[in-house]
Amino acid sequence: RKEVEQDPGPFNVPEGATVAFNCTYSNSASQSFFWYRQDCRKEPKLLMSVYSSGNEDGRFTAQLNRASQYISLLIRDSKLSDSATYLCVVIPPGGFKTIFGAGTRLFVKA
Amino acid sequence: EPEVTQTPSHQVTQMGQEVILRCVPISNHLYFYWYRQILGQKVEFLVSFYNNEISEKSEIFDDQFSVERPDGSNFTLKIRSTKLEDSAMYFCASSEGPSVGSVKETQYFGPGTRLLVL
């Protein structure tokens, strides 16, 4: 099983749609989880941290399910500018090594 | 807004040559990281650095790689004898604290150095 696994997509959605991404991780003792977005040939940029209670930032909602070892990201009312690759990031125990998923590509079309 | 900077933005080198990639982390950050991303592939962790020493490294970070914080602002990655397969984008990142569930754990990435080994 891969350390961090994501559906590669691509997801093609119209503007205004709701889209959800899932990510699974293998190390049940992992403590820290994030969603980053990466535009083509650019650096990853933090979208949001993921906490056990779930968290929301505007149109974005992240959830963590420790029992099933997965993280989700929900994007509501998709905008053209949401088109990017969404990276699931997990930090195992110890805290210094960071594991990226391969990313899920999203295309939002007018 | 403070940001991580990296130089050069692009580097072309011959196989077997040494390269040094430079990064200036955010000034109050204490933890520094290098990653690489081969074109079309995922971001891969190379090394983390704290208190002037390596805190963790991946299997990729072999003897041809080294890191250094030569002064109070720069953080460098040296590749001693480059191989064709070292061609990739190299990202530097920094964070205020370690990744133990606090808000200080967020890593901020620089724009990257695109390395091409011929």
Side-chain angles (χ1 to χ4, degrees):
Chain A
R1 182 179 179 184
K2 289 182 183 176
E3 290 180 292
V4 177
E5 198 152 5
Q6 295 183 251
D7 181 343
F11 284 61
N12 292 287
V13 302
E15 270 188 297
T18 295
V19 62
F21 305 136
N22 288 327
C23 166
T24 58
Y25 60 95
S26 60
N27 189 331
S28 60
S30 297
Q31 297 286 341
S32 302
F33 311 91
F34 307 87
W35 284 101
Y36 278 74
R37 70 170 277 167
Q38 186 176 31
D39 294 292
C40 190
R41 295 177 181 262
K42 299 285 190 182
E43 72 272 26
K45 292 191 175 176
L46 179 72
L47 186 63
M48 53 201 309
S49 304
V50 187
Y51 302 116
S52 296
S53 55
N55 44 305
E56 187 173 313
D57 182 3
R59 298 182 293 108
F60 300 86
T61 300
Q63 297 277 351
L64 168 63
N65 184 320
R66 286 190 183 274
S68 302
Q69 293 174 223
Y70 81 78
I71 308 148
S72 64
L73 177 68
L74 183 77
I75 306 175
R76 289 181 298 278
D77 188 23
S78 300
K79 312 289 185 195
L80 295 176
S81 56
D82 293 334
S83 297
T85 297
Y86 289 83
L87 308 175
C88 175
V89 178
V90 176
I91 300 179
F96 293 109
K97 182 180 178 183
T98 308
I99 303 170
F100 279 75
T104 299
R105 191 79 176 91
L106 172 66
F107 292 98
V108 181
K109 300 189 176 180
Chain B
E1 186 178 316
E3 56 184 22
V4 178
T5 59
Q6 290 186 243
T7 53
S9 58
H10 294 78
Q11 174 100 42
V12 181
T13 190
Q14 295 291 324
M15 192 169 58
Q17 294 297 302
E18 174 182 286
V19 294
I20 297 176
L21 310 183
R22 291 183 168 80
C23 168
V24 179
I26 294 172
S27 61
N28 65 328
H29 286 188
L30 301 177
Y31 295 80
F32 315 117
Y33 311 83
W34 282 102
Y35 297 86
R36 79 170 185 192
Q37 187 174 31
I38 295 169
L39 190 62
Q41 298 187 24
K42 68 176 186 175
V43 176
E44 298 174 292
F45 170 82
L46 291 177
V47 67
S48 58
F49 190 86
Y50 167 68
N51 199 27
N52 280 320
E53 59 182 30
I54 290 173
S55 43
E56 189 152 2
K57 59 183 181 179
S58 71
E59 313 75 46
I60 303 167
F61 194 88
D62 60 22
D63 291 345
Q64 69 162 343
F65 291 94
S66 62
V67 288
E68 196 178 27
R69 188 151 161 85
D71 53 44
S73 59
N74 289 286
F75 178 51
T76 63
L77 174 70
K78 184 192 290 186
I79 310 176
R80 256 180 279 282
S81 177
T82 49
K83 306 186 185 84
L84 297 176
E85 54 265 36
D86 293 328
S87 296
M89 179 76 98
Y90 288 80
F91 293 111
C92 172
S94 69
S95 68
E96 216 177 326
S99 297
V100 288
S102 79
V103 295
K104 296 181 179 182
E105 66 189 345
T106 303
Q107 293 181 35
Y108 295 89
F109 283 72
T113 293
R114 185 164 295 282
L115 176 66
L116 179 61
V117 183
L118 302 176

